[in-house]
Amino acid sequence: MFDLILVADWSAAAVPTGAAPRKDAIWICAEEGGVETTEYFRTRAAALEWIDRQLDRGLCTLLTFDFAMGFPAGLAAHLTGRAEALALWEWLAEQIEDGPDNANNRFAVGQAINRSLPGTGPFWGRPAHLDLPDLPPTRAVVDHPLTATRRAVERLAPTAKPVWQLAYAGTVGSQSLLGCAALARLRQRPDLAVWPQETGFVRPEARIVLAEIYPSLWPPAPAAIRDEGQVVTTARALRAAPAEWFSAPAVHPDATRLAVEEGWILGIGPDGPYPAPPAPRVASDCFALPPGVTWTPVETALATLRAASDVVTGIERVDVSEATGRILAEDIAARRANPPEANAAVDGWGFAYGTLSGGHVPIVEGRAAAGQSYPGVVPPAHAIRILTGAALPAGVDTVALQEDAEAGDDGLSLAAMPKAGANTRAAGEDVRVGGPVLAQGTILRPGDVGFAIAAGHGTLQVRTRLRVGVLSTGDEIVAPGAEGGIPDVNRPMLLAMLAGWGFAAVDLGHAPDDAETLAAMLDGAATDAILTSGGASAGDEDHLSRLLRTRGSLHHWRIAVKPGRPLALGLWQGVPVFGLPGNPVAAFTCAAWFARPALLQMAGAGWREPVGLMVPAAFAKRKKAGRRELLRARLRDGAAEVFRSEGSGLVSGLSWAEGFVDLPDEAARVEAGDPVRYVSFAELGIG
């Protein structure tokens, strides 16, 4: 229905948000032809200016915002004389002052509305420093007869916040006051219609359709900032949504009035929220670069891959003993405290610190050991033998080290008095019941599994393993160890890399230079993604490239990186295909740098790029501007040395190296001792 979908997560911030992207700010996802891009804005003025530019492009556009575009019944009629949400927009546009620096008068407007109504409220919530006596600081004192707490549509989405709240966590009222005033100005466009306030519950026909959304209806897409993930998920849901989303609420018995006076949330039907509709596994042009881009910077390539790589794996529950290397599918909290009760951290003697007065300390009979709690109470000024891990008996709060005490017939003699509480562990010192343990997307290491067990988990929900096939092509390729031809280095190497990343690596074999044989092998792959080497260049004799171009989709990227300039990205029956260079060094580098983060995101682990560290160079080099260079390297005596040759045909360099030196796009002159960025193979998941 739409060429362009814009999803805005609005903000009522009173000052510009930080230069670095953050939550509780303005995030907008633009979805166009299956390609998603996200934008972060520091001010509402900047966001609206950007939106205006998008609307001026002439595309059929669905423009959506995440704040209430109407208020509960009664308010619009009281303030404007018309029971119409759009009349209230116009009234707010006259009252609201919202500067280019985000400075605004929303709290004063909230108080003015309260003063015009009988009773106290309905708006509430304000910063403590504001002297606004008619704007209650809390909801507890709100008492007025005119308006309901929620709109009808909000009663179908229980987690939606009431629009009357103007401050504190979860507030949405401030966004609505400022947002509706801004929408009144956007509505001046003659080719824009507001759903459902202007269109009713019918499929809109205007070039620009403005509608309200609620991003929390669906789980957010993987992203460093949840708000960004929510707008992406909502854009995907709207792209796949059937036309009935616009018309189904019409069966509500009060539909006509609700549409005009209160509005509605797109994505909620007459009985509640719709499930997110199934979207195409990967959009047909998801790998397309921006128009006019020929040489692709590494960062642009990575950003495009990130936007195009959806999670495709399922969920299964496994025993913790089988969870190492798997991807956690949910946040988990502690089911038990660790330790479950206060216990001894050492072997020694336990007593109540405040009861000792010096001299020999009487020793009670028995002992406390791990798993063998002492059943009685240790009297004041007495000591008990206690072993590491034993629960502290009643009457014990301190433990003296075994080597700092001597037990004799006349009692215990302490060489030195420990501090109160010494050598003990408090109950829940590590984690308390209900405390966070591990986050969704964690690639579980042995230590993570140990923590989960300590926190009371015997099974974990994990992602099913991403199935990634590897296919080599070309009549010139021969099996390892065979005579003649070119040995198939890439397929075994890539399969080993995939297995090391925790995926189910599937050997798809070697395809000859025959299009129909190759098509049949791709059809039978039954994988979530495919890595190929060879046959993916742009020439007419490259069978894989031609096959993807005619029966699937194909985009050739000339990435500004050395080694590994050519990279083909395509789809075969909705399955992503990464066409790696045939040169083993370039195939290794492109798989580690480009395929790995995309595959990890598809697997449910989120987008992961290496951080690296700055180390002194043990080499000298000059490079020209225009290409990023990834030099095979290793650390020796704290400095990075590089392989003897940059020739990408020297496979021995992959065995010699233990990582990469990453030189940026700019021209550079590196001398020995200069700082350079080093990324180890271990950080790239390569053993």
Side-chain angles (χ1 to χ4, degrees):
M1 289 185 287
F2 300 98
D3 302 319
L4 174 65
I5 295 173
L6 301 176
V7 177
D9 183 338
W10 208 236
S11 168
V15 296
T17 54
R22 46 161 283 186
K23 65 177 184 177
D24 299 328
I26 298 176
W27 285 93
I28 301 179
C29 178
E31 197 276 0
E32 184 175 352
V35 179
E36 302 148 358
T37 57
T38 55
E39 303 285 343
Y40 164 77
F41 298 95
R42 301 183 63 192
T43 65
R44 288 177 291 279
L48 290 168
E49 181 181 349
W50 183 87
I51 288 171
D52 273 327
R53 291 199 300 270
Q54 302 306 308
L55 300 182
D56 287 341
R57 295 171 59 197
L59 301 176
C60 185
T61 302
L62 175 61
L63 172 62
T64 64
F65 290 84
D66 72 332
F67 53 79
M69 295 186 183
F71 287 78
L75 186 66
H78 171 77
L79 294 175
T80 72
R82 296 155 54 193
E84 301 173 9
L86 299 184
L88 185 54
W89 289 14
E90 296 169 3
W91 186 90
L92 287 171
E94 295 174 356
Q95 307 299 318
I96 289 289
E97 299 171 3
D98 194 5
D101 61 350
N102 274 359
N104 63 81
N105 66 337
R106 67 187 189 275
F107 294 110
V109 171
Q111 172 171 263
I113 295 174
N114 282 356
R115 284 178 172 173
S116 72
L117 289 163
T120 304
F123 285 104
W124 63 274
R126 57 178 166 81
H129 69 277
L130 293 181
D131 183 17
L132 298 171
D134 291 313
L135 185 61
T138 67
R139 183 178 178 182
V141 297
V142 171
D143 178 24
H144 72 98
L146 182 60
T147 54
T149 302
R150 296 175 180 271
R151 296 181 296 161
V153 69
E154 290 162 352
R155 292 193 287 272
L156 296 172
T159 59
K161 299 290 185 180
V163 76
W164 305 121
Q165 182 181 349
L166 299 185
Y168 320 130
T171 179
V172 295
S174 287
Q175 285 93 321
S176 290
L177 288 181
L178 298 173
C180 288
L183 297 186
R185 300 181 181 95
L186 275 176
R187 187 172 162 253
Q188 295 174 6
R189 289 177 170 269
D191 51 356
L192 182 149
V194 184
W195 179 90
Q197 287 91 332
E198 285 184 300
T199 66
F201 290 118
V202 297
R203 177 176 174 173
E205 296 182 357
R207 182 180 75 83
I208 303 170
V209 176
L210 177 60
E212 176 186 342
I213 46 92
Y214 181 43
S216 294
L217 291 178
W218 307 292
I225 297 173
R226 180 181 177 86
D227 296 357
E228 181 182 13
Q230 285 187 315
V231 294
V232 169
T233 289
T234 304
R236 292 173 182 171
L238 295 177
R239 169 58 67 192
E244 288 73 19
W245 279 24
F246 290 98
S247 58
V251 302
H252 193 289
D254 201 16
T256 300
R257 183 194 65 79
L258 291 177
V260 173
E261 183 177 9
E262 294 190 3
W264 201 265
I265 296 171
L266 186 59
I268 295 182
D271 302 315
Y274 298 114
R281 191 171 191 181
V282 182
S284 61
D285 56 356
C286 62
F287 295 130
L289 293 167
V293 172
T294 53
W295 281 93
T296 312
V298 169
E299 296 307 322
T300 301
L302 290 172
T304 305
L305 279 170
R306 182 174 186 174
S309 302
D310 292 335
V311 177
V312 299
T313 50
I315 296 174
E316 62 182 350
R317 185 169 290 277
V318 300
D319 189 272
V320 287
S321 63
E322 301 172 355
T324 299
R326 303 297 295 272
I327 298 169
L328 192 62
E330 61 178 354
D331 296 341
I332 62 170
R335 294 178 174 175
R336 67 186 290 275
N338 185 49
E341 50 192 343
N343 66 84
V346 298
D347 291 345
W349 298 90
F351 48 83
Y353 178 84
T355 67
L356 299 190
S357 58
H360 290 84
V361 182
I363 300 173
V364 300
E365 291 186 8
R367 70 172 191 171
Q372 300 176 14
S373 299
Y374 181 72
V377 176
V378 178
H382 285 64
I384 186 173
R385 178 66 170 150
I386 191 167
L387 304 181
T388 303
L392 297 185
V396 172
D397 61 16
T398 302
V399 175
L401 288 168
Q402 179 172 292
E403 52 266 36
D404 289 342
E406 183 176 345
D409 294 339
D410 53 353
L412 185 71
S413 176
L414 295 175
M417 176 64 74
K419 295 180 180 180
N423 304 312
T424 64
R425 305 185 187 100
E429 181 179 273
D430 189 17
V431 65
R432 297 180 181 275
V433 174
V437 176
L438 296 169
Q440 174 184 340
T442 299
I443 302 175
L444 295 166
R445 303 166 299 173
D448 299 321
V449 172
F451 187 19
I453 294 170
H457 292 270
T459 63
L460 295 172
Q461 283 209 113
V462 298
R463 289 283 177 180
T464 55
R465 291 191 188 275
L466 188 77
R467 290 175 55 81
V468 186
V470 180
L471 177 71
S472 55
T473 66
D475 289 340
E476 72 281 10
I477 300 297
V478 298
E483 297 293 331
I486 299 174
D488 192 351
V489 172
N490 288 345
R491 184 157 48 98
M493 179 180 68
L494 294 171
L495 287 167
M497 292 172 75
L498 292 169
W501 294 333
F503 307 138
V506 181
D507 188 347
L508 300 181
H510 166 228
D513 286 331
D514 179 81
E516 293 309 315
T517 301
L518 178 57
M521 295 177 72
L522 292 172
D523 286 340
T527 57
D528 299 306
I530 298 172
L531 302 185
T532 68
S533 64
S537 296
D540 289 341
E541 296 306 314
D542 290 296
H543 294 279
L544 176 65
S545 181
R546 186 170 66 255
L547 197 62
L548 288 172
R549 197 164 49 238
T550 56
R551 302 190 195 179
S553 72
L554 178 67
H555 295 281
H556 280 103
W557 289 2
R558 300 170 69 199
I559 298 179
V561 65
K562 177 184 177 181
R565 180 180 66 188
L567 179 64
L569 295 171
L571 295 170
W572 184 263
Q573 297 181 359
V575 176
V577 178
F578 295 78
L580 302 175
N583 183 295
V585 174
F588 179 96
T589 304
C590 286
W593 221 260
F594 301 103
R596 176 178 175 267
L599 294 172
L600 284 173
Q601 183 160 290
M602 291 174 64
W607 184 263
R608 296 174 181 240
E609 293 182 45
V611 176
L613 68 157
M614 300 303 293
V615 300
F619 63 93
K621 175 181 172 58
R622 291 185 181 183
K623 72 172 290 293
K624 297 179 181 179
R627 278 203 301 179
R628 194 149 159 191
E629 294 192 14
L630 301 173
L631 310 178
R632 284 156 284 171
R634 64 186 184 186
L635 288 184
R636 290 295 182 270
D637 298 324
E641 58 184 39
V642 297
F643 189 55
R644 59 184 171 82
S645 171
E646 295 178 19
S648 58
L650 301 182
V651 184
S652 61
L654 295 178
S655 175
W656 175 92
E658 297 167 0
F660 293 107
V661 162
D662 177 14
L663 299 180
D665 296 344
E666 298 79 15
R669 178 173 181 173
V670 179
E671 301 292 347
D674 289 348
V676 292
R677 181 181 182 228
Y678 176 78
V679 176
S680 70
F681 286 167
E683 191 176 356
L684 292 166
I686 304 170

